[in-house]
Amino acid sequence: MIEQPIVLDVAIRNWVVIPILLVLFVVSALKMNFTKIMQIQSDRKQDLQKTMEMQTVARTRKLTAYYNRIPQQGFLMRKAYFTNKETGILTYNEPPQEENNPMDALMQASLMNDSSGMTDMLKGNVVHLIPQISMMTWVNHFFSGFVACKLPFFPLTIRFKSFLQRGIELSSLDVSYVSSLSWYFLCWFGSEGINAILLGENIPSMDQQLFQSQVDQGPPNQQVPIHKVYNSERENIDMIRYESLMDNVEERFLNNLTKKTTITDFSKVSSPSSSSSSSSSVQSKNKVPKRR
Amino acid sequence: MLHPQQIQQQQQQQQQEQANSVIPEHYDPEIIMRNNKAVTFCQIPICILGGAIAGVLGFSGLFGFLFYFFVYFTFCSLFVLRENKKLSLYFINPRSIWFDGLGSGLMPYILFWTFLYNIIHIY
């Protein structure tokens, strides 16, 4: 069966297909810049005290994660610095908060934080939802009732006809001819990848990333009162039983060497093979610091 | 009955064996993310280019999808060939670059495929 190609009007291309693509791109660009501006504005509210608390929490988390990579003395000093019962950093913040009416302060803090978080969420939702809805109605209202383009891939089943060919009541039309709304959806899904490349910051440098990670950590921690976080972190540090990663590192290294040399000796008995294997194992040892 | 010192020694030996067997590796998730981003940064333009080529040549139906897989895997193999042995230094699982971008590259490919196909062959 040979399909007869339907010739579409060039005006449809000029005034429907290309404008939808362009408008989607522009709107997504605006959206991204808008969210960036919102982020910057919300960052200004952070005060010094809060950022300091965030930094200490980050430090304690780093310590709990990588404690076995520092010497024992260093670990003990850090532990004392954080969890000493009188002068430790993590115990410092509790007394003043408990002295002056803890419940009121907590309630106020939680209310304030909750409301700001809620408004941020709302803003984000509004920024994402309103353009989508308005553009869908725009496309549906102006460009319905005619065939906009033809999908090059195999025709979908008849069931999709009512969805893909909105506003076209032709029962004999091939399913691969679609109306403008499905072209809009195609652009929407396709442009996400393109936006990620063109509009997203290309590959952010280290400083920007650090900044962003700090910003990202902000909201969840704000909702929990800080001394609870401190308490849990202090317990975590107290729980650690110190074991150094470097305890018998030379034995392990030699073990690896002997294993590799024995394997290579079985295959071919020669001195250069052992040297090459040693160099390879040195490389494998060096892997770890490179990733940091 | 076992002597407590013996038990302690046994435990220590077990611990040492564990320490000998497992050397924990340290990954920085931000750097891993950056590396993955760099790969997708290459993959998506390749997919767009492939879609444009497919649209200009007028592929339709299943052949266009086969062309997508052809383009994608050609790019991946070239990438792997170029980075050859260093790949395991930069990714936790070097094989993941063969499959991770497959979904994210498909939609831009289809978009540009239909776009150029329509402009050249339909209108």
Side-chain angles (χ1 to χ4, degrees), chain A residues 252-290:
Chain A
R252 270 180 277 159
F253 183 61
L254 288 176
N255 264 341
N256 278 347
L257 274 191
T258 48
K259 269 181 202 167
K260 287 204 175 161
T261 48
T262 47
I263 288 166
T264 47
D265 282 345
F266 277 128
S267 58
K268 33 182 169 177
V269 186
S270 58
S271 54
S273 70
S274 67
S275 69
S276 68
S277 70
S278 73
S279 69
S280 71
S281 60
V282 165
Q283 274 184 355
S284 67
K285 280 284 174 185
N286 283 342
K287 261 185 206 172
V288 180
K290 265 183 191 174

Side-chain angles (χ1 to χ4, degrees), chain A residues 8-9 13 17 66 148-150 152-153 183 186-187 189-190 194 197 204 206 209 213 245 252 287 291-292, chain B residues 19-20 24-27 30 34 44-45 48 60-61 65 88-89 107-108 110-114 118-119 122-123:
Chain A
L8 301 176
D9 195 356
R13 180 192 66 191
V17 174
Y66 308 129
C149 63
K150 179 180 190 271
F153 34 92
W183 169 246
L186 201 63
C187 287
F189 291 127
I194 302 164
I197 279 180
M206 287 301 292
Q209 271 199 340
S213 66
L245 192 68
R252 270 180 277 159
K287 261 185 206 172
R291 271 173 190 142
R292 280 181 192 170
Chain B
N20 284 343
E25 295 201 358
H26 173 239
Y27 297 102
E30 283 180 4
R34 265 183 89 198
I44 288 177
I48 288 170
S60 63
F65 287 103
S88 59
L89 288 180
M107 288 318 288
I110 286 178
L111 174 66
F112 274 79
W113 181 23
T114 38
N118 277 291
I119 281 180
I122 301 294
Y123 294 115

Side-chain angles (χ1 to χ4, degrees), chain A residues 143-198:
Chain A
F143 304 130
S144 64
F146 52 85
V147 173
C149 63
K150 179 180 190 271
L151 298 178
F153 34 92
F154 40 85
L156 301 161
T157 48
I158 305 290
R159 254 178 242 164
F160 289 99
K161 202 174 162 79
S162 61
F163 175 69
L164 289 175
Q165 300 181 351
R166 260 221 170 133
I168 309 165
E169 308 296 336
L170 286 174
S171 57
S172 61
L173 189 65
D174 193 17
V175 190
S176 60
Y177 289 93
V178 293
S179 65
S180 56
L181 194 66
S182 29
W183 169 246
Y184 165 76
F185 276 111
L186 201 63
C187 287
W188 180 17
F189 291 127
S191 63
E192 276 173 11
I194 302 164
N195 289 338
I197 279 180
L198 287 181

Side-chain angles (χ1 to χ4, degrees), chain A residues 227-269:
Chain A
H227 71 266
K228 276 188 186 173
V229 180
Y230 274 12
N231 270 335
S232 68
E233 290 297 328
R234 200 181 56 205
E235 281 166 12
N236 279 341
I237 293 179
D238 279 335
M239 297 259 284
I240 291 173
R241 245 183 81 227
Y242 180 78
E243 273 174 27
S244 177
L245 192 68
M246 306 297 169
D247 261 350
N248 42 7
V249 77
E250 62 276 3
E251 278 177 31
R252 270 180 277 159
F253 183 61
L254 288 176
N255 264 341
N256 278 347
L257 274 191
T258 48
K259 269 181 202 167
K260 287 204 175 161
T261 48
T262 47
I263 288 166
T264 47
D265 282 345
F266 277 128
S267 58
K268 33 182 169 177
V269 186

